Amino acid sequence: MEPRQAAIETYRYLRVGIVALALLLAMAVVGEIVVGDAGLLGSISAYYFTPVRDVFVGVLVALGLGLIVIRGRGVEDVLLNLAGMLAPVVAFVPTPVTDSVRSSLGSTPAPTADAMWALIALGVPALAFAVATARRLDGDARTAAMRGAAAGAITVVCFGAWLGIDDQSFLQAAHYAAAVGMFGVFVVVARLNAVSARDDVEGPVVAMLPAQRRRTAYATISWSMLGTVVVAGLLGPLQLTGSTPVPHWLFWVESILLALFAAFWALQTIEYWRDGVPLMDSD
């Protein structure tokens, strides 16, 4: 097998794996709802405190690594790296629940900052490696890589400072900050793909999805994600006041966003099935 073809197939299977990770989390949650003891909880994140915890954490950590590894096009690559850095934060800092709720769901211990400190410590050599690699590139590729490293450094410093200054507020709010940031990135990435879907893609599956249809699909996913996030922003303050107009609303918001993420990644996997990764103009 030619080295280029081997690289294409590696990226192809990695992309399929990301879609599979989203499906794995969905199936684990559905299984707990149907046959487990927890039933329908207030959010997908709350299943951290159920037997789904291993799947929840494992999926988000693997997802984060995949988003960092897969190359995007220009600013898209920076955004995917940022989302990849936020995904483990969503996993390691679960949504806050009361002690009574946690005890009713089982013996899962309360989250601590240990995993986050390990993640931040890993971020230092990872960023050093990213900078060293970027310095070996030329032109636009070097500029994009350096911007990505800068965005990563800012993220590590901000979360590290927050955790160091007030670990209790971090454990209470970092999950929401990371989740909103991660899905906000996906909104932008989907929108970028809506305006840059390629016309030269070949293959029997892509033939049924010409560029205009793919642009429409990307735009639909982007606007649907944005609308879902806006709805969550409207309902969130109401819940803080003790009013819950829609039962389990956060669970349905997260479910919709998870489905839209899987749809976006499946669509992009089809688009780049031949090339593995989006090609820069200079490639």
Side-chain angles (χ1 to χ4, degrees), residues 67-233:
L67 292 174
I68 292 172
V69 168
I70 288 181
R71 178 185 179 187
R73 181 164 43 189
V75 68
E76 180 188 24
D77 191 51
V78 176
L79 293 171
L80 290 177
N81 290 345
L82 179 59
M85 296 179 69
L86 293 175
V89 180
V90 177
F92 295 153
V93 187
T95 183
V97 297
T98 63
D99 292 338
S100 60
V101 171
R102 186 166 59 246
S103 61
S104 69
L105 294 175
S107 58
T108 302
T112 67
D114 295 349
M116 276 304 307
W117 281 123
L119 182 64
I120 291 170
L122 176 62
V124 176
L127 287 170
F129 174 79
V131 172
T133 302
R135 289 172 63 87
R136 298 172 63 89
L137 302 175
D138 297 315
D140 293 341
R142 176 173 180 168
T143 300
M146 292 300 290
R147 287 175 178 172
I154 293 172
T155 303
V156 170
V157 169
C158 289
F159 276 98
W162 184 8
L163 181 59
I165 293 172
D166 189 353
D167 60 342
Q168 291 305 307
S169 72
F170 184 92
L171 294 174
Q172 288 292 315
H175 175 89
Y176 298 119
V180 170
M182 183 176 68
F183 281 111
V185 166
F186 292 147
V187 170
V188 178
V189 170
R191 187 59 190 166
L192 289 174
N193 280 266
V195 299
S196 63
R198 296 167 54 193
D199 294 308
D200 61 340
V201 180
E202 299 176 356
V205 178
V206 180
M208 297 182 294
L209 293 170
Q212 186 55 48
R213 288 186 181 179
R214 279 181 275 117
R215 293 188 185 102
T216 301
Y218 283 130
T220 300
I221 292 171
S222 174
W223 287 115
S224 298
M225 280 186 171
L226 180 60
T228 305
V229 171
V230 169
V231 169

Side-chain angles (χ1 to χ4, degrees), residues 32-92:
E32 179 64 23
I33 293 173
V34 175
V35 301
D37 297 326
L40 183 61
L41 300 180
S43 67
I44 291 179
S45 304
Y47 287 89
Y48 175 96
F49 299 99
T50 73
V52 178
R53 174 182 179 174
D54 293 344
V55 175
F56 180 80
V57 174
V59 162
L60 286 170
V61 172
L63 178 65
L65 180 61
L67 292 174
I68 292 172
V69 168
I70 288 181
R71 178 185 179 187
R73 181 164 43 189
V75 68
E76 180 188 24
D77 191 51
V78 176
L79 293 171
L80 290 177
N81 290 345
L82 179 59
M85 296 179 69
L86 293 175
V89 180
V90 177
F92 295 153

